Amino acid sequence: MKELKVDSSAVAGQENAKFIQDVRLRKISGSLNLASKTLQLMKDLVAKESWKTAEALLTLIRSQGRFLAEALPHDIVVANTTRRVMKIVREEYDSSRVVQFDDGQSIPSLHKLVTQGADPERDNYSKPMPGLKDALMDHLSEIETELETTGDSISAQAAEHIHSAELIMTIGYSRAVEKFLRKAAETRPIEVVVVECAPDCRGQQLAANLARAKIQTTLISDAAIFAIMSRINKIIIGTHSVLANGGLQAVCGTYSLALSAKHFSVPVIVLAPTYKLTPVHLCNYEQGDFNILGNTEAVLPAKSSAARFTKAYNPLFDYVPPELVTLFITNNGTNAPSYIYRLISELYHPEDNQL
């Protein structure tokens, strides 16, 4: 009897559909989990799909990445991970080509560096390259390890930025911020003020977790930010994504927080793993393009008399311009907002900015 062959593309399509459904049902949440799962899907594509050249592989990755990005437009880390994988494919192909055709000269000459842009073979990925799949799998495994250690790499820098007896303010709930503050509190006494971030009030969860860790914590409403800002030493926040100009797509209320901090000259420090850096620019302020509108039931109940003639909006994100941010802490170190463009150019290839 003949064995039935399983179509790998059909299996990949089922896995992608299941991933999208799990994200929409909130079975998978958190930027790190989304990035890890996307990377795993890309690893499966590289290992199981039939491809002969880097060009064919790039086409497969771009197609799958576009499908995921269109289905999950507001989960920007999915598109970022796809772009990162495509950059890795290009790098591994170029390095293999250099080893194969320039084995006798490991360090390129100055003439080659100058004339590299005119090399007709540089962006030609249509030639088969032996050993490319194995090299890619090793490199993707390294990226997977990097993702797993991202939180530890960021929290390890806590002692450099938080000093003894400082009063720290944050907003909403962020796993990276919680881990960062816990790490700082291990070696020095600190006090944290958490803005509850109404109407979801996810800051209450962070305040409770910090209090259980024996960190002196105060929970305040969003309206009290300006009143207490003069006493704050530093603001440490997380973000949903970091745009190409160094601006933030952060939880709603962060813009008011940053404006208050600027008025009182309080430094704003953003914890941003590299998988949250995106080459996307803010094209407009339309809610449908940049934002997600949440449920307004907590603000204006549908059964109330005011709901009959009132329109209520509950945007989930704020745009924070780069001039309101003091410093970014990534898993690779600290950078000013003006240096974000350089980090993005190292992570992604310009041709992959648009999937």
Side-chain angles (χ1 to χ4, degrees), residues 285-317:
Y285 290 90
E286 291 296 327
Q287 299 286 4
D289 293 334
F290 177 78
N291 227 321
I292 304 175
L293 296 180
N295 190 358
T296 60
E297 183 68 19
V299 180
L300 187 66
K303 294 182 179 179
S304 64
S305 58
R308 299 176 183 176
F309 52 88
T310 304
K311 289 184 179 180
Y313 296 94
N314 179 21
L316 299 188
F317 298 120

PDB file of all heavy atoms in Angstrom, residues 285-317:
ATOM      1  N   TYR A 285      -3.318  59.877  12.816  1.00  0.00           N
ATOM      2  CA  TYR A 285      -3.828  59.654  14.168  1.00  0.00           C
ATOM      3  C   TYR A 285      -5.219  59.037  14.169  1.00  0.00           C
ATOM      4  O   TYR A 285      -5.903  59.038  15.203  1.00  0.00           O
ATOM      5  CB  TYR A 285      -3.870  60.989  14.933  1.00  0.00           C
ATOM      6  CG  TYR A 285      -2.504  61.533  15.276  1.00  0.00           C
ATOM      7  CD1 TYR A 285      -1.827  62.375  14.403  1.00  0.00           C
ATOM      8  CD2 TYR A 285      -1.875  61.183  16.470  1.00  0.00           C
ATOM      9  CE1 TYR A 285      -0.571  62.871  14.703  1.00  0.00           C
ATOM     10  CE2 TYR A 285      -0.616  61.678  16.789  1.00  0.00           C
ATOM     11  CZ  TYR A 285       0.032  62.521  15.912  1.00  0.00           C
ATOM     12  OH  TYR A 285       1.276  63.004  16.220  1.00  0.00           O
ATOM     13  N   GLU A 286      -5.655  58.520  13.041  1.00  0.00           N
ATOM     14  CA  GLU A 286      -6.976  57.916  12.975  1.00  0.00           C
ATOM     15  C   GLU A 286      -7.040  56.687  13.883  1.00  0.00           C
ATOM     16  O   GLU A 286      -6.142  55.853  13.881  1.00  0.00           O
ATOM     17  CB  GLU A 286      -7.307  57.516  11.534  1.00  0.00           C
ATOM     18  CG  GLU A 286      -7.524  58.688  10.591  1.00  0.00           C
ATOM     19  CD  GLU A 286      -8.738  59.519  11.006  1.00  0.00           C
ATOM     20  OE1 GLU A 286      -9.697  58.951  11.539  1.00  0.00           O
ATOM     21  OE2 GLU A 286      -8.698  60.749  10.796  1.00  0.00           O
ATOM     22  N   GLN A 287      -8.122  56.584  14.655  1.00  0.00           N
ATOM     23  CA  GLN A 287      -8.236  55.501  15.621  1.00  0.00           C
ATOM     24  C   GLN A 287      -8.194  54.131  14.957  1.00  0.00           C
ATOM     25  O   GLN A 287      -7.610  53.198  15.481  1.00  0.00           O
ATOM     26  CB  GLN A 287      -9.557  55.654  16.398  1.00  0.00           C
ATOM     27  CG  GLN A 287      -9.679  56.945  17.181  1.00  0.00           C
ATOM     28  CD  GLN A 287      -8.819  56.966  18.431  1.00  0.00           C
ATOM     29  OE1 GLN A 287      -8.076  56.034  18.677  1.00  0.00           O
ATOM     30  NE2 GLN A 287      -8.908  58.027  19.207  1.00  0.00           N
ATOM     31  N   GLY A 288      -8.791  54.018  13.774  1.00  0.00           N
ATOM     32  CA  GLY A 288      -8.859  52.716  13.133  1.00  0.00           C
ATOM     33  C   GLY A 288      -7.512  52.218  12.645  1.00  0.00           C
ATOM     34  O   GLY A 288      -7.287  51.013  12.566  1.00  0.00           O
ATOM     35  N   ASP A 289      -6.595  53.137  12.305  1.00  0.00           N
ATOM     36  CA  ASP A 289      -5.291  52.743  11.788  1.00  0.00           C
ATOM     37  C   ASP A 289      -4.279  52.498  12.905  1.00  0.00           C
ATOM     38  O   ASP A 289      -3.483  51.568  12.834  1.00  0.00           O
ATOM     39  CB  ASP A 289      -4.751  53.820  10.845  1.00  0.00           C
ATOM     40  CG  ASP A 289      -5.592  53.928   9.578  1.00  0.00           C
ATOM     41  OD1 ASP A 289      -6.211  52.925   9.209  1.00  0.00           O
ATOM     42  OD2 ASP A 289      -5.625  55.017   8.986  1.00  0.00           O
ATOM     43  N   PHE A 290      -4.267  53.350  13.885  1.00  0.00           N
ATOM     44  CA  PHE A 290      -3.237  53.283  14.919  1.00  0.00           C
ATOM     45  C   PHE A 290      -3.724  52.581  16.176  1.00  0.00           C
ATOM     46  O   PHE A 290      -2.943  51.977  16.887  1.00  0.00           O
ATOM     47  CB  PHE A 290      -2.775  54.708  15.251  1.00  0.00           C
ATOM     48  CG  PHE A 290      -1.763  54.783  16.365  1.00  0.00           C
ATOM     49  CD1 PHE A 290      -0.440  54.476  16.122  1.00  0.00           C
ATOM     50  CD2 PHE A 290      -2.141  55.163  17.644  1.00  0.00           C
ATOM     51  CE1 PHE A 290       0.494  54.547  17.138  1.00  0.00           C
ATOM     52  CE2 PHE A 290      -1.223  55.236  18.661  1.00  0.00           C
ATOM     53  CZ  PHE A 290       0.108  54.938  18.413  1.00  0.00           C
ATOM     54  N   ASN A 291      -4.997  52.656  16.442  1.00  0.00           N
ATOM     55  CA  ASN A 291      -5.505  52.274  17.748  1.00  0.00           C
ATOM     56  C   ASN A 291      -6.476  51.113  17.693  1.00  0.00           C
ATOM     57  O   ASN A 291      -6.899  50.669  16.630  1.00  0.00           O
ATOM     58  CB  ASN A 291      -6.200  53.478  18.401  1.00  0.00           C
ATOM     59  CG  ASN A 291      -5.767  53.656  19.842  1.00  0.00           C
ATOM     60  OD1 ASN A 291      -5.596  52.691  20.570  1.00  0.00           O
ATOM     61  ND2 ASN A 291      -5.582  54.894  20.241  1.00  0.00           N
ATOM     62  N   ILE A 292      -6.827  50.636  18.863  1.00  0.00           N
ATOM     63  CA  ILE A 292      -7.894  49.664  19.053  1.00  0.00           C
ATOM     64  C   ILE A 292      -8.896  50.290  20.010  1.00  0.00           C
ATOM     65  O   ILE A 292      -8.513  50.844  21.042  1.00  0.00           O
ATOM     66  CB  ILE A 292      -7.375  48.340  19.653  1.00  0.00           C
ATOM     67  CG1 ILE A 292      -6.269  47.747  18.783  1.00  0.00           C
ATOM     68  CG2 ILE A 292      -8.509  47.335  19.794  1.00  0.00           C
ATOM     69  CD1 ILE A 292      -5.635  46.507  19.395  1.00  0.00           C
ATOM     70  N   LEU A 293     -10.156  50.228  19.673  1.00  0.00           N
ATOM     71  CA  LEU A 293     -11.195  50.765  20.549  1.00  0.00           C
ATOM     72  C   LEU A 293     -11.749  49.641  21.410  1.00  0.00           C
ATOM     73  O   LEU A 293     -12.237  48.632  20.903  1.00  0.00           O
ATOM     74  CB  LEU A 293     -12.310  51.413  19.731  1.00  0.00           C
ATOM     75  CG  LEU A 293     -11.904  52.641  18.914  1.00  0.00           C
ATOM     76  CD1 LEU A 293     -13.093  53.190  18.150  1.00  0.00           C
ATOM     77  CD2 LEU A 293     -11.307  53.723  19.808  1.00  0.00           C
ATOM     78  N   GLY A 294     -11.662  49.822  22.720  1.00  0.00           N
ATOM     79  CA  GLY A 294     -12.131  48.810  23.654  1.00  0.00           C
ATOM     80  C   GLY A 294     -13.583  49.034  24.048  1.00  0.00           C
ATOM     81  O   GLY A 294     -14.254  49.963  23.592  1.00  0.00           O
ATOM     82  N   ASN A 295     -14.035  48.172  24.928  1.00  0.00           N
ATOM     83  CA  ASN A 295     -15.405  48.247  25.425  1.00  0.00           C
ATOM     84  C   ASN A 295     -15.566  49.442  26.364  1.00  0.00           C
ATOM     85  O   ASN A 295     -14.724  49.686  27.232  1.00  0.00           O
ATOM     86  CB  ASN A 295     -15.739  46.938  26.170  1.00  0.00           C
ATOM     87  CG  ASN A 295     -17.215  46.838  26.505  1.00  0.00           C
ATOM     88  OD1 ASN A 295     -17.984  47.734  26.222  1.00  0.00           O
ATOM     89  ND2 ASN A 295     -17.598  45.726  27.114  1.00  0.00           N
ATOM     90  N   THR A 296     -16.649  50.201  26.192  1.00  0.00           N
ATOM     91  CA  THR A 296     -16.876  51.389  27.020  1.00  0.00           C
ATOM     92  C   THR A 296     -17.881  51.137  28.149  1.00  0.00           C
ATOM     93  O   THR A 296     -18.332  52.080  28.796  1.00  0.00           O
ATOM     94  CB  THR A 296     -17.393  52.545  26.151  1.00  0.00           C
ATOM     95  OG1 THR A 296     -18.629  52.145  25.527  1.00  0.00           O
ATOM     96  CG2 THR A 296     -16.383  52.904  25.081  1.00  0.00           C
ATOM     97  N   GLU A 297     -18.235  49.881  28.382  1.00  0.00           N
ATOM     98  CA  GLU A 297     -19.247  49.567  29.389  1.00  0.00           C
ATOM     99  C   GLU A 297     -18.838  50.046  30.777  1.00  0.00           C
ATOM    100  O   GLU A 297     -19.674  50.491  31.565  1.00  0.00           O
ATOM    101  CB  GLU A 297     -19.495  48.048  29.409  1.00  0.00           C
ATOM    102  CG  GLU A 297     -20.577  47.578  30.373  1.00  0.00           C
ATOM    103  CD  GLU A 297     -21.980  48.022  29.955  1.00  0.00           C
ATOM    104  OE1 GLU A 297     -22.171  48.366  28.769  1.00  0.00           O
ATOM    105  OE2 GLU A 297     -22.875  48.038  30.824  1.00  0.00           O
ATOM    106  N   ALA A 298     -17.535  49.974  31.092  1.00  0.00           N
ATOM    107  CA  ALA A 298     -17.073  50.392  32.417  1.00  0.00           C
ATOM    108  C   ALA A 298     -17.158  51.901  32.603  1.00  0.00           C
ATOM    109  O   ALA A 298     -17.250  52.387  33.729  1.00  0.00           O
ATOM    110  CB  ALA A 298     -15.632  49.921  32.631  1.00  0.00           C
ATOM    111  N   VAL A 299     -17.138  52.654  31.494  1.00  0.00           N
ATOM    112  CA  VAL A 299     -17.213  54.110  31.572  1.00  0.00           C
ATOM    113  C   VAL A 299     -18.647  54.598  31.453  1.00  0.00           C
ATOM    114  O   VAL A 299     -19.104  55.439  32.237  1.00  0.00           O
ATOM    115  CB  VAL A 299     -16.349  54.745  30.450  1.00  0.00           C
ATOM    116  CG1 VAL A 299     -16.421  56.263  30.525  1.00  0.00           C
ATOM    117  CG2 VAL A 299     -14.927  54.269  30.550  1.00  0.00           C
ATOM    118  N   LEU A 300     -19.364  54.042  30.473  1.00  0.00           N
ATOM    119  CA  LEU A 300     -20.736  54.468  30.210  1.00  0.00           C
ATOM    120  C   LEU A 300     -21.595  53.229  29.978  1.00  0.00           C
ATOM    121  O   LEU A 300     -21.628  52.696  28.868  1.00  0.00           O
ATOM    122  CB  LEU A 300     -20.776  55.381  28.981  1.00  0.00           C
ATOM    123  CG  LEU A 300     -22.116  56.049  28.679  1.00  0.00           C
ATOM    124  CD1 LEU A 300     -22.479  57.042  29.766  1.00  0.00           C
ATOM    125  CD2 LEU A 300     -22.060  56.735  27.317  1.00  0.00           C
ATOM    126  N   PRO A 301     -22.251  52.721  30.999  1.00  0.00           N
ATOM    127  CA  PRO A 301     -23.088  51.523  30.838  1.00  0.00           C
ATOM    128  C   PRO A 301     -24.157  51.711  29.768  1.00  0.00           C
ATOM    129  O   PRO A 301     -24.743  52.796  29.624  1.00  0.00           O
ATOM    130  CB  PRO A 301     -23.716  51.345  32.223  1.00  0.00           C
ATOM    131  CG  PRO A 301     -22.792  52.063  33.160  1.00  0.00           C
ATOM    132  CD  PRO A 301     -22.249  53.216  32.384  1.00  0.00           C
ATOM    133  N   ALA A 302     -24.391  50.663  29.014  1.00  0.00           N
ATOM    134  CA  ALA A 302     -25.344  50.744  27.907  1.00  0.00           C
ATOM    135  C   ALA A 302     -26.768  51.018  28.392  1.00  0.00           C
ATOM    136  O   ALA A 302     -27.580  51.604  27.660  1.00  0.00           O
ATOM    137  CB  ALA A 302     -25.307  49.443  27.105  1.00  0.00           C
ATOM    138  N   LYS A 303     -27.094  50.626  29.620  1.00  0.00           N
ATOM    139  CA  LYS A 303     -28.449  50.799  30.145  1.00  0.00           C
ATOM    140  C   LYS A 303     -28.684  52.189  30.734  1.00  0.00           C
ATOM    141  O   LYS A 303     -29.815  52.515  31.110  1.00  0.00           O
ATOM    142  CB  LYS A 303     -28.734  49.743  31.204  1.00  0.00           C
ATOM    143  CG  LYS A 303     -28.768  48.310  30.650  1.00  0.00           C
ATOM    144  CD  LYS A 303     -29.100  47.310  31.750  1.00  0.00           C
ATOM    145  CE  LYS A 303     -29.158  45.885  31.199  1.00  0.00           C
ATOM    146  NZ  LYS A 303     -29.462  44.890  32.257  1.00  0.00           N
ATOM    147  N   SER A 304     -27.618  52.990  30.831  1.00  0.00           N
ATOM    148  CA  SER A 304     -27.785  54.323  31.409  1.00  0.00           C
ATOM    149  C   SER A 304     -28.516  55.244  30.444  1.00  0.00           C
ATOM    150  O   SER A 304     -28.487  55.052  29.222  1.00  0.00           O
ATOM    151  CB  SER A 304     -26.417  54.920  31.765  1.00  0.00           C
ATOM    152  OG  SER A 304     -25.662  55.115  30.596  1.00  0.00           O
ATOM    153  N   SER A 305     -29.169  56.240  30.977  1.00  0.00           N
ATOM    154  CA  SER A 305     -29.934  57.171  30.137  1.00  0.00           C
ATOM    155  C   SER A 305     -29.024  57.995  29.241  1.00  0.00           C
ATOM    156  O   SER A 305     -29.392  58.361  28.123  1.00  0.00           O
ATOM    157  CB  SER A 305     -30.770  58.089  31.025  1.00  0.00           C
ATOM    158  OG  SER A 305     -29.932  58.811  31.931  1.00  0.00           O
ATOM    159  N   ALA A 306     -27.795  58.283  29.712  1.00  0.00           N
ATOM    160  CA  ALA A 306     -26.861  59.094  28.928  1.00  0.00           C
ATOM    161  C   ALA A 306     -26.381  58.376  27.676  1.00  0.00           C
ATOM    162  O   ALA A 306     -26.002  59.012  26.690  1.00  0.00           O
ATOM    163  CB  ALA A 306     -25.674  59.504  29.790  1.00  0.00           C
ATOM    164  N   ALA A 307     -26.409  57.044  27.710  1.00  0.00           N
ATOM    165  CA  ALA A 307     -25.913  56.268  26.569  1.00  0.00           C
ATOM    166  C   ALA A 307     -26.776  56.440  25.325  1.00  0.00           C
ATOM    167  O   ALA A 307     -26.331  56.147  24.217  1.00  0.00           O
ATOM    168  CB  ALA A 307     -25.837  54.792  26.940  1.00  0.00           C
ATOM    169  N   ARG A 308     -27.996  56.919  25.497  1.00  0.00           N
ATOM    170  CA  ARG A 308     -28.898  57.074  24.356  1.00  0.00           C
ATOM    171  C   ARG A 308     -28.468  58.187  23.420  1.00  0.00           C
ATOM    172  O   ARG A 308     -28.706  58.126  22.214  1.00  0.00           O
ATOM    173  CB  ARG A 308     -30.307  57.354  24.858  1.00  0.00           C
ATOM    174  CG  ARG A 308     -30.894  56.231  25.722  1.00  0.00           C
ATOM    175  CD  ARG A 308     -32.253  56.629  26.271  1.00  0.00           C
ATOM    176  NE  ARG A 308     -32.805  55.602  27.153  1.00  0.00           N
ATOM    177  CZ  ARG A 308     -33.949  55.731  27.835  1.00  0.00           C
ATOM    178  NH1 ARG A 308     -34.672  56.860  27.684  1.00  0.00           N
ATOM    179  NH2 ARG A 308     -34.364  54.759  28.628  1.00  0.00           N
ATOM    180  N   PHE A 309     -27.832  59.222  23.943  1.00  0.00           N
ATOM    181  CA  PHE A 309     -27.458  60.360  23.106  1.00  0.00           C
ATOM    182  C   PHE A 309     -25.968  60.717  23.228  1.00  0.00           C
ATOM    183  O   PHE A 309     -25.550  61.810  22.879  1.00  0.00           O
ATOM    184  CB  PHE A 309     -28.299  61.594  23.485  1.00  0.00           C
ATOM    185  CG  PHE A 309     -28.279  61.916  24.956  1.00  0.00           C
ATOM    186  CD1 PHE A 309     -27.290  62.727  25.494  1.00  0.00           C
ATOM    187  CD2 PHE A 309     -29.257  61.411  25.815  1.00  0.00           C
ATOM    188  CE1 PHE A 309     -27.275  63.031  26.841  1.00  0.00           C
ATOM    189  CE2 PHE A 309     -29.249  61.715  27.170  1.00  0.00           C
ATOM    190  CZ  PHE A 309     -28.258  62.534  27.686  1.00  0.00           C
ATOM    191  N   THR A 310     -25.159  59.780  23.732  1.00  0.00           N
ATOM    192  CA  THR A 310     -23.730  60.047  23.932  1.00  0.00           C
ATOM    193  C   THR A 310     -22.886  59.014  23.195  1.00  0.00           C
ATOM    194  O   THR A 310     -23.198  57.828  23.219  1.00  0.00           O
ATOM    195  CB  THR A 310     -23.381  60.002  25.437  1.00  0.00           C
ATOM    196  OG1 THR A 310     -24.204  60.921  26.147  1.00  0.00           O
ATOM    197  CG2 THR A 310     -21.912  60.366  25.651  1.00  0.00           C
ATOM    198  N   LYS A 311     -21.845  59.487  22.549  1.00  0.00           N
ATOM    199  CA  LYS A 311     -20.861  58.591  21.935  1.00  0.00           C
ATOM    200  C   LYS A 311     -19.639  58.496  22.838  1.00  0.00           C
ATOM    201  O   LYS A 311     -19.067  59.522  23.215  1.00  0.00           O
ATOM    202  CB  LYS A 311     -20.451  59.096  20.551  1.00  0.00           C
ATOM    203  CG  LYS A 311     -21.534  58.972  19.491  1.00  0.00           C
ATOM    204  CD  LYS A 311     -21.000  59.402  18.132  1.00  0.00           C
ATOM    205  CE  LYS A 311     -22.081  59.248  17.057  1.00  0.00           C
ATOM    206  NZ  LYS A 311     -21.585  59.665  15.718  1.00  0.00           N
ATOM    207  N   ALA A 312     -19.243  57.273  23.177  1.00  0.00           N
ATOM    208  CA  ALA A 312     -18.094  57.063  24.069  1.00  0.00           C
ATOM    209  C   ALA A 312     -17.025  56.266  23.336  1.00  0.00           C
ATOM    210  O   ALA A 312     -17.333  55.331  22.589  1.00  0.00           O
ATOM    211  CB  ALA A 312     -18.527  56.324  25.331  1.00  0.00           C
ATOM    212  N   TYR A 313     -15.762  56.630  23.550  1.00  0.00           N
ATOM    213  CA  TYR A 313     -14.640  55.934  22.928  1.00  0.00           C
ATOM    214  C   TYR A 313     -13.672  55.488  24.023  1.00  0.00           C
ATOM    215  O   TYR A 313     -13.416  56.230  24.982  1.00  0.00           O
ATOM    216  CB  TYR A 313     -13.907  56.843  21.932  1.00  0.00           C
ATOM    217  CG  TYR A 313     -14.760  57.256  20.756  1.00  0.00           C
ATOM    218  CD1 TYR A 313     -15.470  58.460  20.785  1.00  0.00           C
ATOM    219  CD2 TYR A 313     -14.856  56.457  19.623  1.00  0.00           C
ATOM    220  CE1 TYR A 313     -16.259  58.843  19.709  1.00  0.00           C
ATOM    221  CE2 TYR A 313     -15.639  56.833  18.545  1.00  0.00           C
ATOM    222  CZ  TYR A 313     -16.335  58.025  18.595  1.00  0.00           C
ATOM    223  OH  TYR A 313     -17.113  58.399  17.529  1.00  0.00           O
ATOM    224  N   ASN A 314     -13.140  54.313  23.861  1.00  0.00           N
ATOM    225  CA  ASN A 314     -12.167  53.781  24.814  1.00  0.00           C
ATOM    226  C   ASN A 314     -10.930  53.298  24.053  1.00  0.00           C
ATOM    227  O   ASN A 314     -10.754  52.101  23.834  1.00  0.00           O
ATOM    228  CB  ASN A 314     -12.801  52.627  25.612  1.00  0.00           C
ATOM    229  CG  ASN A 314     -11.819  52.022  26.612  1.00  0.00           C
ATOM    230  OD1 ASN A 314     -10.838  52.650  26.989  1.00  0.00           O
ATOM    231  ND2 ASN A 314     -12.076  50.787  27.014  1.00  0.00           N
ATOM    232  N   PRO A 315     -10.064  54.217  23.610  1.00  0.00           N
ATOM    233  CA  PRO A 315      -8.843  53.807  22.894  1.00  0.00           C
ATOM    234  C   PRO A 315      -7.877  53.090  23.834  1.00  0.00           C
ATOM    235  O   PRO A 315      -7.723  53.476  25.004  1.00  0.00           O
ATOM    236  CB  PRO A 315      -8.256  55.126  22.400  1.00  0.00           C
ATOM    237  CG  PRO A 315      -8.787  56.151  23.343  1.00  0.00           C
ATOM    238  CD  PRO A 315     -10.147  55.682  23.772  1.00  0.00           C
ATOM    239  N   LEU A 316      -7.231  52.060  23.324  1.00  0.00           N
ATOM    240  CA  LEU A 316      -6.321  51.270  24.161  1.00  0.00           C
ATOM    241  C   LEU A 316      -4.899  51.806  24.157  1.00  0.00           C
ATOM    242  O   LEU A 316      -4.122  51.498  25.061  1.00  0.00           O
ATOM    243  CB  LEU A 316      -6.321  49.808  23.692  1.00  0.00           C
ATOM    244  CG  LEU A 316      -7.652  49.057  23.758  1.00  0.00           C
ATOM    245  CD1 LEU A 316      -7.438  47.585  23.446  1.00  0.00           C
ATOM    246  CD2 LEU A 316      -8.307  49.212  25.129  1.00  0.00           C
ATOM    247  N   PHE A 317      -4.541  52.613  23.136  1.00  0.00           N
ATOM    248  CA  PHE A 317      -3.156  53.059  23.017  1.00  0.00           C
ATOM    249  C   PHE A 317      -3.059  54.569  22.925  1.00  0.00           C
ATOM    250  O   PHE A 317      -4.002  55.254  22.522  1.00  0.00           O
ATOM    251  CB  PHE A 317      -2.493  52.443  21.770  1.00  0.00           C
ATOM    252  CG  PHE A 317      -2.423  50.941  21.794  1.00  0.00           C
ATOM    253  CD1 PHE A 317      -3.050  50.192  20.805  1.00  0.00           C
ATOM    254  CD2 PHE A 317      -1.751  50.274  22.796  1.00  0.00           C
ATOM    255  CE1 PHE A 317      -2.991  48.822  20.818  1.00  0.00           C
ATOM    256  CE2 PHE A 317      -1.695  48.896  22.820  1.00  0.00           C
ATOM    257  CZ  PHE A 317      -2.311  48.165  21.831  1.00  0.00           C
TER     258      PHE A 317
END
